[in-house]
Amino acid sequence: MMFTLTEVASLNDIQPTYRILKPWWDVFMDYLGVVMLMLAIFAMTMQITKDQEDPSGAKPDSFTQQSLLKAATSAATVATFPPLVTKDLPDNAVHEINVQQQHTAAEKYVNQPQPTGVRTNLDYQQYVFINQICYHVALPWYSKYFPYLTLIHTIVLMVSSNFWFKYPKTSSKIEHFVSILGRCFESPWTTKALSETACEDSEENKQRLTGASSVPKQVSLEGKDEGTNVNSSTPMLGVKFSADKPIAEVPSSMTILDKKDGEQAKALFEKVRKFRAHVEDSDFIYKLYVAQTVVKTVKFILILSYTSTFLAKINFKHDCEPDIKQLTGYSKFFCTHNMAFMLNKLLISYMALILIYGMACLYSLFWVFRRPLKEYSFEKVREESSFSDIPDVKNDFAFLLHMVDQYDQLYSKRFGVFLSEVSENKLREISLNHEWTFEKLRQLVTRNAVDQQELHLFMLSGLPNAVFDLTELEVLKLELIPEVRFSAKVSQMTNLLELHLCHSPAKVEQTGFAFLRDHLRCLHVKFTDVAEIPAWVYLLRSLRELNLIGNLSSENNKMIGLESMRDLRHLKTLCLKSNLTKMPTNITELSPHLIKLVVHNDGTKLVVLNSLKKMTNLIELELHTCELERIPHAIFSLINLQELDLKSNNIRTIEEIISFQHLKRLTCLKLWHNKIITIPSSIGQVKSLESLYLSHNKLESLPPSLFTLPKLRYLDVGHNSISVLPPDVGLLHNLQHLAINSNKLEVLPKSLFRCTKLKALCLGNNALNVLPEAAGQLVQLTQLELRGNCLDRLPVQLGNCRLLRKSGLVVEDHLFDALPVEVKENFSRETSASFADGL
């Protein structure tokens, strides 16, 4: 033989881990294949052994020929005494031996009766020749090649059964799936998650028995007291909590997870997510399995049909009429096939096995087409566990899970844990709480600019529970945290006033929402799409300040996606940093109480501002980077406006400024970072102005009427092209801050130093040659900027500015060093009293 049974059986072998994808009928067909393989090899061994046997030996060949034409004593003699083996002797020696044998036989049977029949004149070699001729001519081909055909058929069936495990495009996916499935099954997190589910189920049963009637009353009473349908409007995560209902804590044994196991479980979640995305797009594995099942079925029908036809042709007796009369003198022989009986029994056994194999194939086809295998539902798993969000899967992913169910449904149940976002969030929460302890978080708490306790958390997987134990915290900033959940424990943070959610979608439980609704004062939400703004934000009735930073409109949806703000009853400040083309109509709902509106665009032109006319209670308005070319007329309707900031627009002319005279309360006007060329003389009509910002424009001169504003205390015209400061500046007796830096001034008017209330004078980056001695009259000066000019020295009279210190004097070092020693000492003196006066 050219190969062993083990080598042939290896065609039917697969990796042991793949057995979970083989249903019972595939396993049964594999065993049938092994039996058929053994039967084929047994028959083939017999056939090969018979074919290779020496036809000239003493043992008869597969055919025994008897002549039907003659029989004689000599024939009987040949049948009784077969000739000696003489193949190596010469012909004359063979003839003598034959003659001696005939004489010996004649003498021995002299007294015996003569045999009947026809005498033949054939010798042994002729019988051997006839035997071979008749084997190839009279014996049907199926009797000769049946063992080989059965071997080929069996090999084809074996290859077809496991082809989907071997094909490159499917084997890689199957190997990956089996690997992930095994890890999910053995993962400690799977056991803990299912155990936690069982714990929760027992807890729910306990509550159902003890307090099933009291809980609904608490929820309904809270809804009545608060006057808001919290249950229907507030997003919930997990179990709903009432105000008085205790929170069921998970036992510590369920929440403790080894760090290594936790990291492995996280990696498994990511692998499952990527594998699902990769496999659900195709149904190639399903089609290949169906194709190989169909091939096996067709092969079974083909084998059964033609094998049953040839079964009757395997006979023991055969008539042979070879064309060898010229050699033997006879034209017809009677032949026997001595393996016919054994081959017939083997063929019947083979057909029985094929029939059983075919029935298994037909059942496999019935199972494949009985229901849609390209869809898999985890409905049963969702009912038995708390992971109600396990999604249904499709295509090859669904088919593989159906195959696994035929092996053991527990695999799919444990695998479903890693498809649940709730399960993944629980794992993250456990790992997060294990890493971020109360002591670690407390070390990160800092004091901000307004002396508030602040905590900034960045790029965590979630919100650690220990945060809720920081009861003194006032400001909480959460940035790039994909899953934020405020549980009922947030009610412990009684000092929390300000919350920042930067690309951190947040969900809140009922009790936690009730606390935030009544205590939170300032909220910052930064997002990519307006749909990411939590719905509960619009229900925070105690909120004073709301900052929304992100895309409030898109090309597909021209409408602003803000929801109704009527429940924000105490909102005073609204800041929108977005790409608005028009003012949201929703903000008119805030008109009775909104006093500050800030709109920072990203360069998108703000066209429609009609909604502003209704915001009559506005005190402060900021419109930054809105591509405005003129001052919007809607602003002139804001009779209570006190501060207007139009920074970073494209305003070139401000002829409408005369209309500001009707805004009697306007005290601060900021037109900085624009393209204004001139200031109209009508600026003098806005008598209420106290602060005017005109820096970073294209001004070349200042109108005299500007210096007739009696209340002006702050004037910033820096970063322009002003070459002359009018002497009328001395009329601003209340001026405390003058910034005219980064211009083209060469001389300062003496009248400037009559503004004795000046505390800050910024003259840097000009072309000044001399600082007048009258500068010493500015006795309240605390800040003087002179760097970037052409000064040769500083006047000694600066020493009279007793509130001016070296830190407030911005000048080149060599000019400061040239001052008298006593002046320098005066600037360097830091007495507590004078420092306080300077502040």
Side-chain angles (χ1 to χ4, degrees):
M1 296 183 62
M2 300 301 295
F3 42 78
T4 64
L5 179 62
T6 304
E7 293 172 337
V8 177
S10 64
L11 296 172
N12 199 39
D13 192 21
I14 59 171
Q15 295 185 20
T17 53
Y18 287 3
R19 298 190 184 280
I20 61 175
L21 294 176
K22 294 186 73 68
W24 67 265
W25 54 85
D26 278 353
V27 176
F28 182 61
M29 284 189 284
D30 286 346
Y31 282 112
L32 286 177
V34 172
V35 175
M36 288 189 292
L37 181 66
M38 296 175 64
L39 187 148
I41 293 178
F42 174 69
M44 190 177 64
T45 303
M46 292 177 56
Q47 186 74 19
I48 293 175
T49 304
K50 207 66 177 176
D51 289 344
Q52 291 182 349
E53 184 178 307
D54 188 0
S56 62
K59 188 176 180 180
D61 200 6
S62 60
F63 274 88
T64 302
Q65 294 83 14
Q66 298 291 339
S67 174
L68 296 175
L69 301 178
K70 295 182 180 180
T73 306
S74 60
T77 303
V78 173
T80 307
F81 301 100
L84 296 176
V85 178
T86 59
K87 68 177 183 177
D88 295 329
L89 299 176
D91 292 340
N92 56 357
V94 173
H95 179 70
E96 293 178 0
I97 292 174
N98 289 335
V99 171
Q100 292 177 2
Q101 288 181 344
Q102 291 177 0
H103 284 294
T104 302
E107 293 175 358
K108 186 175 181 179
Y109 296 102
V110 67
N111 295 325
Q112 297 292 333
Q114 292 293 326
T116 61
V118 181
R119 176 177 300 193
T120 64
N121 295 321
L122 300 178
D123 59 14
Y124 185 79
Q125 284 75 13
Q126 289 177 311
Y127 275 116
V128 171
F129 175 72
I130 294 171
N131 178 43
Q132 294 298 325
I133 292 294
C134 291
Y135 178 79
H136 291 286
V137 174
L139 191 66
W141 70 271
Y142 193 76
S143 298
K144 294 182 289 185
Y145 300 112
F146 155 68
Y148 306 101
L149 288 175
T150 55
L151 178 64
I152 294 174
H153 293 330
T154 305
I155 292 176
V156 171
L157 292 175
M158 285 182 171
V159 172
S160 300
S161 295
N162 298 306
F163 184 70
W164 69 311
F165 292 128
K166 309 288 186 179
Y167 190 66
K169 287 187 178 180
T170 57
S171 61
S172 59
K173 294 180 180 179
I174 293 174
E175 182 179 0
H176 196 188
F177 173 76
V178 171
S179 174
I180 293 176
L181 186 66
R183 294 180 183 180
C184 292
F185 188 83
E186 298 174 356
S187 173
W189 170 245
T190 311
T191 304
K192 291 183 181 296
L194 295 177
S195 301
E196 184 175 339
T197 298
C199 178
E200 290 178 356
D201 290 342
S202 62
E203 189 68 26
E204 289 178 1
N205 294 334
K206 192 175 185 180
Q207 293 175 359
R208 191 180 299 113
L209 294 173
T210 57
S213 60
S214 61
V215 173
K217 292 182 180 179
Q218 294 175 352
V219 175
S220 61
L221 286 174
E222 183 187 6
K224 293 179 181 179
D225 293 341
E226 299 299 334
T228 305
N229 191 0
V230 178
N231 291 336
S232 61
S233 304
T234 307
M236 299 296 171
L237 179 63
V239 183
K240 294 183 178 180
F241 297 97
S242 65
D244 300 322
K245 181 178 177 180
I247 304 170
E249 295 289 343
V250 180
S252 59
S253 60
M254 300 301 169
T255 59
I256 297 176
L257 190 67
D258 183 75
K259 185 176 181 180
K260 182 179 179 181
D261 293 337
E263 294 300 324
Q264 291 177 350
K266 289 181 183 178
L268 274 178
F269 273 107
E270 186 65 24
K271 287 183 179 180
V272 170
R273 188 181 298 109
K274 290 182 179 179
F275 179 78
R276 180 188 173 191
H278 177 59
V279 176
E280 270 195 318
D281 294 338
S282 171
D283 59 351
F284 186 75
I285 297 178
Y286 168 77
K287 289 181 179 178
L288 186 62
Y289 183 83
V290 173
Q292 75 175 29
T293 305
V294 171
V295 168
K296 289 190 295 183
T297 306
V298 172
K299 186 72 175 176
F300 141 71
I301 296 174
L302 181 64
I303 294 173
L304 196 64
S305 59
Y306 84 83
T307 304
S308 59
T309 303
F310 291 111
L311 177 63
K313 294 187 178 182
I314 300 181
N315 298 318
F316 181 74
K317 302 176 182 179
H318 295 276
D319 292 335
C320 179
E321 297 181 3
D323 188 15
I324 55 174
K325 187 175 181 180
Q326 67 277 14
L327 297 177
T328 62
Y330 304 101
S331 59
K332 188 174 183 181
F333 296 90
F334 177 73
C335 309
T336 61
H337 185 201
N338 59 359
M339 289 183 60
F341 179 79
M342 179 61 69
L343 291 179
N344 189 274
K345 298 303 180 183
L346 291 176
L347 181 58
I348 293 175
S349 301
Y350 180 73
M351 290 180 62
L353 293 174
I354 283 291
L355 183 61
I356 298 174
Y357 191 95
M359 297 301 293
C361 288
L362 292 175
Y363 179 83
S364 177
L365 283 179
F366 166 74
W367 180 81
V368 167
F369 296 110
R370 180 184 59 177
R371 57 178 179 173
L373 296 183
K374 292 196 293 183
E375 298 177 0
Y376 189 91
S377 175
F378 283 95
E379 184 65 29
K380 187 175 181 181
V381 180
R382 290 194 290 263
E383 292 176 355
E384 294 178 355
S385 68
S386 63
F387 307 127
S388 58
D389 67 321
I390 300 178
D392 296 336
V393 295
K394 58 183 180 179
N395 290 335
D396 283 344
F397 200 3
F399 174 69
L400 291 173
L401 289 174
H402 280 295
M403 297 296 283
V404 170
D405 280 350
Q406 300 302 313
Y407 183 82
D408 190 351
Q409 293 184 355
L410 184 59
Y411 275 90
S412 298
K413 181 177 180 180
R414 297 176 73 92
F415 189 74
V417 172
F418 287 88
L419 290 171
S420 168
E421 290 187 7
V422 175
S423 173
E424 186 174 7
N425 292 336
K426 286 186 178 181
L427 173 64
R428 289 176 179 173
E429 182 180 352
I430 292 175
S431 302
L432 189 69
N433 294 330
H434 182 73
E435 179 180 359
W436 292 89
T437 60
F438 175 77
E439 291 75 13
K440 184 175 181 179
L441 290 173
R442 187 169 56 181
Q443 294 176 359
L444 298 178
V445 177
T446 59
R447 289 277 180 181
N448 60 15
V450 292
D451 200 32
Q452 291 178 317
Q453 289 195 24
E454 179 180 303
L455 175 63
H456 186 187
L457 298 179
F458 178 74
M459 291 188 69
L460 301 184
S461 59
L463 185 62
N465 287 337
V467 170
F468 304 129
D469 296 328
L470 300 172
T471 56
E472 301 298 325
L473 197 65
E474 298 171 272
V475 180
L476 177 59
K477 293 184 178 181
L478 307 176
E479 185 173 358
L480 295 176
I481 299 179
E483 186 67 32
V484 176
R485 183 171 68 93
F486 291 102
S487 64
K489 289 184 177 181
V490 73
S491 58
Q492 301 174 184
M493 307 177 70
T494 54
N495 292 310
L496 184 64
L497 300 175
E498 184 175 340
L499 177 62
H500 294 247
L501 299 174
C502 180
H503 297 291
S504 302
K507 296 182 180 180
V508 59
E509 294 178 357
Q510 180 177 332
T511 307
F513 167 74
F515 172 80
L516 294 177
R517 180 190 57 197
D518 296 333
H519 290 79
L520 199 61
R521 296 294 181 265
C522 180
L523 176 63
H524 295 250
V525 182
K526 189 173 183 179
F527 51 89
T528 303
D529 188 81
V530 67
E532 298 176 14
I533 302 177
W536 51 267
V537 168
Y538 303 100
L539 303 175
L540 299 173
R541 62 187 184 190
S542 297
L543 200 64
R544 300 292 191 273
E545 179 181 345
L546 176 61
N547 294 266
L548 300 178
I549 307 171
N551 187 10
L552 292 175
S553 63
S554 61
E555 295 181 0
N556 298 328
N557 182 16
K558 298 297 183 182
M559 300 298 293
I560 305 303
L562 293 177
E563 297 184 16
S564 175
M565 296 185 176
R566 63 173 59 95
D567 291 323
L568 302 176
R569 306 168 189 171
H570 298 90
L571 191 66
K572 302 297 182 184
T573 302
L574 176 62
C575 180
L576 304 176
K577 295 184 180 181
S578 184
N579 55 347
L580 300 176
T581 57
K582 62 179 180 179
M583 294 298 296
T585 56
N586 305 56
I587 65 173
T588 58
E589 298 173 345
L590 304 172
S591 57
H593 44 81
L594 193 68
I595 62 175
K596 182 178 181 179
L597 176 62
V598 178
V599 177
H600 289 188
N601 259 11
D602 60 356
T604 304
K605 189 171 184 178
L606 186 59
V607 180
V608 182
L609 295 166
N610 294 332
S611 300
L612 284 179
K613 294 181 179 180
K614 300 178 182 180
M615 312 295 292
T616 55
N617 290 323
L618 274 183
I619 295 177
E620 296 182 33
L621 176 62
E622 293 183 14
L623 301 176
H624 288 189
T625 325
C626 297
E627 294 296 314
L628 300 176
E629 296 179 357
R630 304 180 72 93
I631 300 175
H633 289 279
I635 295 176
F636 303 134
S637 302
L638 306 178
I639 56 176
N640 291 309
L641 195 65
Q642 296 181 13
E643 182 176 333
L644 175 62
D645 189 352
L646 300 178
K647 181 182 179 181
S648 299
N649 285 283
N650 287 327
I651 299 175
R652 297 177 182 273
T653 177
I654 52 174
E655 296 296 332
E656 304 89 345
I657 202 169
I658 190 173
S659 299
F660 283 132
Q661 65 180 328
H662 304 295
L663 305 182
K664 304 298 184 181
R665 299 185 179 181
L666 186 64
T667 59
C668 181
L669 179 59
K670 298 181 179 181
L671 299 173
W672 46 353
H673 295 270
N674 279 282
K675 300 178 181 179
I676 301 173
I677 299 175
T678 59
I679 302 174
S681 58
S682 56
I683 186 70
Q685 302 296 324
V686 192
K687 301 295 184 181
S688 59
L689 275 184
E690 297 181 5
S691 301
L692 181 59
Y693 294 74
L694 289 168
S695 63
H696 295 86
N697 279 283
K698 298 182 179 181
L699 298 175
E700 295 182 356
S701 61
L702 299 176
S705 58
L706 174 62
F707 305 105
T708 62
L709 298 174
K711 297 182 180 181
L712 195 63
R713 295 185 294 110
Y714 189 105
L715 178 59
D716 185 359
V717 289
H719 296 274
N720 282 283
S721 299
I722 301 172
S723 58
V724 177
L725 182 61
D728 298 329
V729 69
L731 301 176
L732 299 176
H733 299 295
N734 292 314
L735 192 63
Q736 298 181 9
H737 184 105
L738 175 60
I740 195 170
N741 52 301
S742 299
N743 279 278
K744 300 178 180 179
L745 293 180
E746 296 180 358
V747 180
L748 294 177
K750 294 182 179 180
S751 58
L752 172 63
F753 303 102
R754 292 203 295 266
C755 301
T756 55
K757 293 184 178 181
L758 270 177
K759 296 182 179 180
L761 181 58
C762 300
L763 301 171
N765 297 304
N766 278 282
L768 298 175
N769 295 316
V770 177
L771 180 64
E773 297 178 354
Q777 300 175 14
L778 305 178
V779 293
Q780 297 190 29
L781 202 64
T782 60
Q783 180 182 351
L784 178 60
E785 181 182 339
L786 296 171
R787 182 174 293 169
N789 284 281
C790 302
L791 299 175
D792 295 330
R793 61 183 183 84
L794 296 178
V796 180
Q797 287 76 10
L798 280 180
N800 297 330
C801 302
R802 300 190 177 278
L803 297 180
L804 186 62
R805 295 292 174 261
K806 184 177 180 180
S807 59
L809 179 60
V810 182
V811 70
E812 286 80 359
D813 292 339
H814 70 276
L815 294 178
F816 181 81
D817 295 338
L819 289 172
V821 177
E822 60 274 10
V823 177
K824 291 191 290 184
E825 290 179 353
N826 186 38
F827 288 153
S828 301
R829 186 176 67 252
E830 296 288 347
T831 60
S832 59
S834 62
F835 185 71
D837 291 341
L839 291 177

